[in-house]
């Protein structure tokens, strides 16, 4: 039968160490709780608004990359068509020179210079031939046309290769910016999910109150500076209440520059895709000069754009979770206005 021994009591030193360790864990936990408290509803809203703002910045960059992508694709297609036509012309010229060679062969021999052309790199032909005296004027002209066409084709092919590289770079920028937008939106959603049901309901109510500004407020008695501005503002007003969505140009949803671009298109004016590019159109004006229909730029990097509606109000597509609505200019950092037409 095995013996039963009473466990050896822990030494005073061991008890002291364990107690100290437990105390340290408690202290660290307490410090962590104090250092990282649960953010309040207002703090979450502030962080979420910042993330939405950063997402809009990335969206305008993505819009620019997408527009450039489309332009490059069109340019590459045009260059490739030009190369194809040039190659056909070159083939025709070569066939003509071949016919000359065949005729000379049948008549008793082929000119050594043409033989050299037909059997070596045509790009170097004229440099390799020390004298063209033995060629007829017609043959010389044909050879020079071929050489010129080959050089032109080589340049066009290089241009196409350069454009293809630009396209690859632009496509990567577009992909990166889209991922950045999604990352910002995901981070914002995580913050919103950290709120209690009551806090979420409060934020939803706040947004609902703001979105009710789709109703026409007091816009004062200012009149548009031009028929173009008036038509653009009327077109934008038809979109009131439609949701904001990154990268969208209508008709179901809009981002900021998508809305302004659409509005001016209805007035017969084509604007570039991004807010930064739209800022370069027309005449720059100050805040006191704004008239209904003028474009209004916000933030240092001009990543947000709106239409001036009158009485210090703008009509715009603000951000995720909102709709096209009127809003006070005081809610955003004004930079300058732009008058079109």
């Amino acid at each position: 039968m095995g013996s039963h021994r009473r466990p050896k009591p822990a030494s005073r030193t061991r008890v002291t160490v364990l107690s100290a360790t437990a105390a340290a864990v408690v202290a660290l936990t307490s410090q962590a709780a104090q250092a990282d408290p649960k953010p309040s509803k207002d703090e979450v809203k502030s962080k979420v608004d910042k993330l939405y703002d950063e997402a809009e910045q990335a969206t305008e960059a993505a819009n620019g990359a997408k527009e450039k992508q489309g332009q490059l694709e069109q340019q590459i297609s045009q260059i490739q068509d030009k190369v194809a036509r040039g190659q056909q012309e070159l083939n025709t010229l070569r066939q003509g020179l071949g016919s000359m060679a065949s005729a000379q062969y049948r008549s008793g021999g082929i000119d050594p210079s043409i033989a050299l052309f037909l059997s070596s790199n045509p790009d170097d032909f004229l440099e390799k031939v020390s004298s063209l005296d033995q060629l007829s004027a017609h043959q010389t002209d044909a050879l020079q046309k071929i050489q010129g066409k080959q050089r032109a084709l080589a340049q066009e092919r290089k241009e196409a290769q350069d454009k293809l590289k630009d396209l690859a770079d632009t496509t990567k920028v577009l992909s990166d910016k889209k991922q950045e937008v999604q990352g910002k939106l995901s981070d914002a959603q995580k913050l919103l999910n950290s709120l209690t049901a009551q806090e979420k309901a409060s934020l939803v109510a706040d947004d609902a109150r703001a979105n009710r500004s789709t109703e026409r407020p007091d816009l004062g008695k200012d009149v548009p500076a031009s028929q173009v501005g008036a038509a653009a503002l009327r077109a934008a007003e038809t979109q009131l209440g439609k949701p904001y969505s990154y990268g969208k140009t209508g008709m179901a949803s809009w981002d900021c520059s998508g809305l302004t671009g659409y509005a001016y298109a209805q007035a017969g004016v084509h604007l570039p895709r991004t807010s930064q590019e739209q800022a370069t159109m027309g005449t720059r004006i100050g805040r006191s000069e704004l008239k209904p229909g003028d474009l209004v730029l916000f933030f240092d990097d001009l990543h947000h754009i709106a239409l001036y509606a009158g009485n210090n109000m703008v009509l715009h597509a603000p951000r995720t979770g909102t709709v096209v609505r009127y809003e006070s200019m005081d809610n955003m950092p004004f930079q300058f206005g732009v008058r079109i037409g």
Side-chain angles (χ1 to χ4, degrees):
M1 185 173 183
S3 62
H4 297 278
R5 295 182 179 177
R6 179 179 299 175
K8 185 178 179 180
S11 67
R12 181 180 298 275
T13 302
R14 186 182 175 195
V15 171
T16 302
V17 170
L18 290 173
S19 299
T21 301
V25 169
V26 171
L28 287 173
T29 302
S30 175
Q31 290 174 3
Q34 293 175 359
D36 189 23
K38 182 179 181 297
S40 67
K41 184 198 77 171
D42 289 341
E43 289 172 333
V44 168
K45 185 179 185 306
S46 177
K47 290 178 180 179
V48 167
D49 287 345
K50 186 174 186 299
L51 285 167
Y52 283 155
D53 187 52
E54 291 171 353
E56 188 177 30
Q57 288 178 279
T59 295
E60 286 301 290
N63 288 341
K66 186 175 182 180
E67 183 177 45
K68 184 179 179 182
Q69 183 185 54
Q71 292 170 347
L72 285 169
E73 287 172 346
Q74 184 176 16
Q75 291 168 5
I76 289 168
S77 177
Q78 291 171 346
I79 294 171
Q80 289 174 336
D81 287 345
K82 189 176 180 181
V83 167
R85 290 193 301 270
Q87 187 63 54
Q88 290 177 347
E89 293 170 6
L90 179 60
N91 292 342
T92 301
L93 290 170
R94 281 175 169 168
Q95 289 170 1
L97 190 62
S99 298
M100 290 183 208
S102 297
Q104 287 183 348
Y105 181 78
R106 286 194 299 270
S107 64
I110 184 169
D111 189 293
S113 295
I114 295 181
L116 174 62
F117 169 78
L118 294 173
S119 63
S120 63
N121 182 357
D123 288 332
D124 300 331
F125 175 71
L126 292 181
E127 286 75 12
K128 289 179 179 178
V129 178
S130 59
S131 172
L132 296 178
D133 292 342
Q134 69 271 38
L135 298 179
S136 69
H138 186 59
Q139 291 168 337
T140 301
D141 181 61
L143 289 170
Q144 288 176 336
K145 282 183 178 179
I146 288 173
Q147 185 190 48
K149 180 59 66 176
Q150 287 170 329
R151 286 175 174 169
L153 281 174
Q155 179 61 38
E156 288 163 2
R157 287 191 176 103
K158 182 180 183 304
E159 184 180 357
Q161 290 172 350
D162 291 342
K163 294 288 185 184
L164 285 168
K165 183 180 181 303
D166 288 345
L167 178 59
D169 293 342
T170 301
T171 300
K172 185 177 185 308
V173 169
L174 177 58
S175 175
D176 290 346
K177 289 301 178 182
K178 283 183 175 179
Q179 289 182 10
E180 183 178 348
V181 171
Q182 293 304 317
K184 299 290 185 184
L185 296 179
S186 177
D187 290 344
Q189 190 58 53
K190 288 176 183 176
L191 281 169
L192 291 172
N193 290 342
S194 71
L195 297 175
T196 65
Q198 184 177 0
E199 288 171 330
K200 287 180 183 178
S202 176
L203 283 182
V204 169
D206 291 343
D207 283 339
R209 280 192 294 272
N211 285 337
R212 280 199 292 272
S213 57
T214 56
E215 299 173 4
R216 186 178 178 87
D218 178 10
L219 301 178
K221 298 181 180 180
D222 283 346
V223 296
S226 69
Q227 291 299 315
V228 170
L233 183 58
R234 286 197 300 271
E237 287 172 340
T238 66
Q239 302 305 302
L240 283 164
K242 291 188 177 180
Y244 179 98
S245 184
Y246 288 105
K248 297 299 183 180
T249 56
M251 294 292 290
S253 59
W254 303 93
D255 66 12
C256 67
S257 55
L259 177 65
T260 51
Y262 164 80
Y264 269 89
Q266 306 316 297
V269 177
H270 171 74
L271 295 182
R273 176 64 182 93
T274 69
S275 57
Q276 292 91 343
E277 291 173 317
Q278 292 179 8
T280 66
M281 306 293 287
T283 304
R284 185 176 296 197
I285 56 177
R287 184 163 182 161
S288 63
E289 302 172 273
L290 288 171
K291 296 293 182 182
D294 289 337
L295 296 172
V296 187
L297 280 302
F298 297 96
F299 300 96
D300 291 343
D301 64 351
L302 311 180
H303 71 261
H304 189 71
I305 192 166
L307 290 104
Y308 187 68
N311 196 26
N312 200 44
M313 302 289 288
V314 293
L315 192 162
H316 67 151
R319 59 169 177 79
T320 291
T322 67
V323 299
V324 176
R325 69 192 190 193
Y326 296 103
E327 190 166 349
S328 170
M329 287 176 57
D330 296 333
N331 293 344
M332 296 165 287
F334 171 84
Q335 300 301 310
F336 56 85
V338 171
R339 180 162 297 155
I340 308 291

